Amino acid sequence: MALRLGDEAPNFTAESTEGTINFHEYLGDSWGVLFSHPADFTPVCTTELGAVSRLRDEFSKRNVKVIALSVDGLESHKSWIGDINETQNTAVNFPIIADEDKKVSTLYDMIHPNANESFTVRSVFVIGPDKKIKLTITYPASTGRNFDELLRVIDSLQLTANYSVATPADWKEGEDVVVSPAIKTEDIPAKFPKGHRVIKPYLRMTPQPNK
């Protein structure tokens, strides 16, 4: 059964390139990104793992732990990491789960038989500190992921988790945000003292409140 937004991210224990991992314990009080790869030694995945490694500081400052998954084994993963580090000019700095029995892939519905009966699609799950799923994105095997977009979405998720706002189309950190429809216009000044603009009664903008 497919996982939906707001569902608890299923816990699991699995072997990884950084030892045995209990997923919920690994996350602790952090946010998490779990993302899957069709197989080791695949060209697009090699660039993706390199990209995530180079963004380590960006994930860390957002209190996000990253964990990857592939259906190949540990020895294959370790050999592949050598290729990633060499070709992408980086050092892989997060665990890669060895999911040879496809237990985790099945738990997270990462194998889509109409796409491929044995390999995982490029699934992405963003998980909050409450272990609830906040975002899911599924890419086909042929399309590499945009991790700048993933960071943008995490910024939005973390902002909107703490303030009564939403983020408009193409929003980036530091730009104006939408005031929640639940807040009456007359109550906005007290809640958002930086000011606001009423574009329509249902569309009110205010500067990002935590900047």
Side-chain angles (χ1 to χ4, degrees):
M1 196 166 126
L3 294 168
R4 296 180 177 176
L5 300 185
D7 288 351
E8 181 170 293
N11 195 22
F12 58 83
T13 299
E15 295 305 313
S16 83
T17 52
E18 296 187 6
T20 304
I21 283 180
N22 176 286
F23 187 46
H24 283 190
E25 289 180 4
Y26 171 77
L27 292 180
D29 294 327
S30 300
W31 288 70
V33 172
L34 172 65
F35 66 121
S36 59
H37 300 270
D40 293 358
F41 302 103
T42 50
V44 176
C45 296
T46 299
T47 65
E48 289 185 327
L49 291 175
V52 172
S53 299
R54 292 191 296 273
L55 289 170
R56 178 186 182 122
D57 290 346
E58 293 298 321
F59 284 109
S60 293
K61 76 183 186 184
R62 293 166 171 82
N63 189 30
V64 176
K65 291 183 177 178
V66 176
I67 186 163
L69 174 146
S70 170
V71 295
D72 291 319
L74 275 183
E75 292 309 309
S76 175
H77 285 1
K78 290 174 182 176
S79 179
W80 185 29
I81 285 172
D83 282 4
I84 296 164
N85 293 345
E86 175 192 347
T87 64
Q88 305 303 304
N89 193 30
T90 188
V92 172
N93 44 37
F94 50 85
I96 306 174
I97 295 167
D99 193 35
E100 287 183 284
D101 61 5
K102 300 182 175 64
K103 182 181 76 173
V104 181
S105 301
T106 302
L107 195 61
Y108 278 79
D109 192 32
M110 293 171 169
I111 297 175
H112 295 187
N114 288 334
N116 189 298
E117 291 187 358
S118 57
F119 293 144
T120 59
V121 292
R122 296 184 196 282
S123 298
V124 183
F125 295 88
V126 174
I127 297 154
D130 58 1
K131 308 300 183 289
K132 299 289 178 64
I133 295 171
K134 308 299 183 183
L135 170 82
T136 63
I137 310 176
T138 303
Y139 293 77
S142 57
T143 302
R145 286 166 274 217
N146 183 330
F147 291 98
D148 288 332
E149 165 64 4
L150 194 58
L151 289 170
R152 187 191 77 87
V153 172
I154 290 168
D155 286 340
S156 173
L157 288 167
Q158 294 183 341
L159 173 67
T160 58
N162 293 309
Y163 297 90
S164 299
V165 297
T167 55
D170 300 326
W171 174 87
K172 295 183 183 68
E173 179 80 4
E175 295 180 349
D176 286 1
V177 296
V178 175
V179 177
S180 169
I183 296 174
K184 295 178 180 178
T185 299
E186 58 265 31
D187 295 335
I188 292 177
K191 198 161 184 71
F192 298 105
K194 292 181 181 180
H196 69 280
R197 292 179 291 123
V198 178
I199 300 168
K200 290 287 184 181
Y202 58 85
L203 177 58
R204 293 87 47 87
M205 306 295 292
T206 189
Q208 184 173 329
N210 62 345
K211 287 291 181 182

